[in-house]
Amino acid sequence: MATVFDVFYLGTGPSIDQTEGDFISENSGALVGQTYGSVAAPLVNNIGSLSPGSTGFAGGDANRYDTNNDVSNDTFRIDGGADQTVDGLAIYNATITYTDGTTDTITAVVMQDTAGNLYLLPETSFNSDQAALEAKPIRSLTLNSVFSNNTSMDATRYAANYAVCYAPGTLIETPEGPRAVETLRPGDRVMTLDHGPQAVRWTRSGDHPLENADEDAAPVQIKAGALGPNMPAANLILSPQHRLLVGGGGPLGEVFSTEVFVPAKSLTALPGIRRMKGKARITWIHFACQRHEIVMANGCPSESLLLGPMVMNGLSDAERQAVTELFGPALPANGALNGPPARECLTVGAVRRRLAKHLKAAGATLSKAVPKADRDLAMDSFKAESIRHMPQHRTAIRRGMNEIPNPG
């Protein structure tokens, strides 16, 4: 368990805790019947990382964020952004609708800050509700009835991290050749798979502590050649949920028949891909184009930043205003400013199950020496020889990029 974990941003709503002095969210019923997320703006695109703010938790209870603001104003941050103050918490009997139209029921833990922002929290440990949250990409959440409205928020929960960031030194392909990501500035152009040279519209960097982060939130290192010859061309360090393009004629084409985005941390059972342990902190760098794009990072097809509600909510007021002026408001209102996603985005659980199924069919052995939460999904090893013989499209992508005329 960790104090840094992933949450779904649901949107805003009426205050569920209108009277301070206790832990009761007396107006929690105001959210009953509400649905958050839609086909056009699925919740899977609204995931961000919650960490303690400048005051953190333990203002009242040593192990919880206090929902009684007469006692304490405990703060948190989303993706390292500005402080937000916890206000209320309620648990709902809820229905999840996945992007494929299927549904499941859970008890959903919903937290609200003092500005009215609502977040779906992970469970405090891996259980059936958490399994449902990770089973498939989530389209929407409907709150059916109040299960409990008299509780505060446990500060340590099932950990995940869905920030989409690059580490300094990552080389991004540009019309002039590879450039270190930290040198990119608005107006600089990067090569994209779908639209040729495209201008960077916005960049952001931040220093993130890792001392209290769960292992699942650690940076992911993809060693040179781990996904095929020169893929990546040099070691690539990504945030755990930064997505890579796989499938079709590219890396892991034998596992994924069509091109899809997969989170970096979903691949850590493959040889040469691991979580980086022992780092005290890391600098993460984001850059966004006018659209969500596929770019080349150290020779691997990867994603630019998708400016969804969770990213926007983690910005300071000044940053949020500047980004909205650059990109215009999101259409629909709960979508991404530069969406939709360039390809289908698979969840960590979905990727691990596909890999496990592929290995089982090939006669591979499932690993027992993995973190408990992953033990039934991970594999002992992915045969290096099988990866070596998977179709590769890096050369084709690079050649195609070089042949795309400058749009002027």
Side-chain angles (χ1 to χ4, degrees):
M1 299 303 101
T3 58
V4 179
F5 46 83
D6 280 357
V7 295
F8 289 85
Y9 175 65
L10 301 179
T12 59
S15 174
I16 63 173
D17 186 11
Q18 297 179 332
T19 304
E20 299 301 338
D22 56 31
F23 298 108
I24 300 174
S25 295
E26 62 280 345
N27 196 39
S28 55
L31 304 184
V32 171
Q34 296 297 311
T35 295
Y36 301 94
S38 65
V39 173
L43 292 181
V44 69
N45 294 337
N46 298 349
I47 303 172
S49 180
L50 184 150
S51 59
S54 59
T55 61
F57 55 92
D61 188 304
N63 300 308
R64 298 184 174 191
Y65 287 90
D66 206 314
T67 55
N68 179 3
N69 297 99
D70 283 349
V71 174
S72 176
N73 285 291
D74 291 348
T75 59
F76 65 95
R77 291 172 175 156
I78 299 296
D79 290 339
D83 275 357
Q84 298 169 237
T85 301
V86 173
D87 186 33
L89 188 98
I91 304 173
Y92 295 86
N93 295 307
T95 300
I96 292 172
T97 301
Y98 299 109
T99 55
D100 63 5
T102 60
T103 63
D104 203 346
T105 56
I106 63 169
T107 53
V109 183
V110 176
M111 180 267 287
Q112 186 174 52
D113 71 4
T114 52
N117 296 298
L118 297 163
Y119 300 91
L120 172 62
L121 304 182
E123 297 293 303
T124 54
S125 63
F126 192 84
N127 57 23
S128 59
D129 286 338
Q130 188 63 42
L133 290 171
E134 298 186 28
K136 303 176 188 179
I138 295 175
R139 174 195 300 170
S140 63
L141 176 77
T142 300
L143 304 181
N144 301 319
S145 62
V146 176
F147 179 83
S148 174
N149 67 351
N150 186 7
T151 184
S152 54
M153 175 181 161
D154 287 333
T156 55
R157 312 187 77 85
Y158 182 78
N161 186 330
Y162 295 104
V164 176
C165 324
Y166 292 104
T170 302
L171 296 179
I172 305 298
E173 195 71 27
T174 77
E176 293 75 35
R179 280 184 58 178
V181 66
E182 65 269 25
T183 70
L184 293 175
R185 298 292 182 270
D188 293 340
R189 293 189 302 167
V190 295
M191 298 304 302
T192 73
L193 177 60
D194 296 331
H195 303 108
Q198 292 294 311
V200 172
R201 299 295 309 280
W202 183 74
T203 65
R204 187 175 189 257
S205 63
D207 197 27
H208 292 262
L210 298 172
E211 296 97 329
N212 297 321
D214 187 83
E215 178 181 308
D216 197 49
V220 174
Q221 182 190 68
I222 303 173
K223 289 188 177 181
L227 293 173
N230 294 315
M231 186 171 288
N235 290 352
L236 178 63
I237 298 173
L238 300 171
S239 57
Q241 190 60 23
H242 197 116
R243 291 175 285 226
L244 298 167
L245 184 72
V246 301
L252 303 182
E254 292 184 1
V255 182
F256 305 95
S257 60
T258 60
E259 290 184 337
V260 291
F261 276 129
V262 300
K265 72 176 183 179
S266 68
L267 304 177
T268 53
L270 303 184
I273 303 178
R274 66 176 181 88
R275 295 180 177 91
M276 299 178 69
K277 302 177 182 178
K279 291 183 71 67
R281 59 196 314 109
I282 192 167
T283 298
W284 289 126
I285 300 168
H286 320 255
F287 71 89
C289 299
Q290 186 63 38
R291 290 167 288 210
H292 189 224
E293 300 283 5
I294 299 166
V295 299
M296 298 296 283
N298 286 5
C300 273
S302 179
E303 67 171 330
S304 64
L305 182 64
L306 185 66
L307 292 165
M310 182 59 66
V311 172
M312 295 298 293
N313 198 55
L315 304 179
S316 67
D317 290 342
E319 288 174 321
R320 194 179 303 114
Q321 180 179 348
V323 171
T324 302
E325 290 175 355
L326 272 177
F327 291 89
L331 297 173
N334 287 329
L337 272 65
N338 61 344
R343 295 293 189 277
E344 179 186 2
C345 302
L346 300 186
T347 63
V348 173
V351 174
R352 287 173 176 165
R353 284 190 292 275
R354 294 275 286 273
L355 288 171
K357 182 178 179 180
H358 175 76
L359 290 174
K360 184 176 181 180
T365 303
L366 293 179
S367 173
K368 295 181 181 179
V370 293
K372 182 178 179 182
D374 297 344
R375 65 184 184 276
D376 60 342
L377 300 174
M379 59 295 293
D380 180 50
S381 67
F382 194 99
K383 303 286 187 183
E385 192 66 19
S386 68
I387 295 177
R388 193 173 297 117
H389 285 92
M390 287 180 177
Q392 303 298 327
H393 67 173
R394 176 178 178 271
T395 301
I397 290 175
R398 188 178 295 277
R399 185 183 302 117
M401 285 179 168
N402 292 338
E403 292 172 356
I404 295 173
N406 189 318

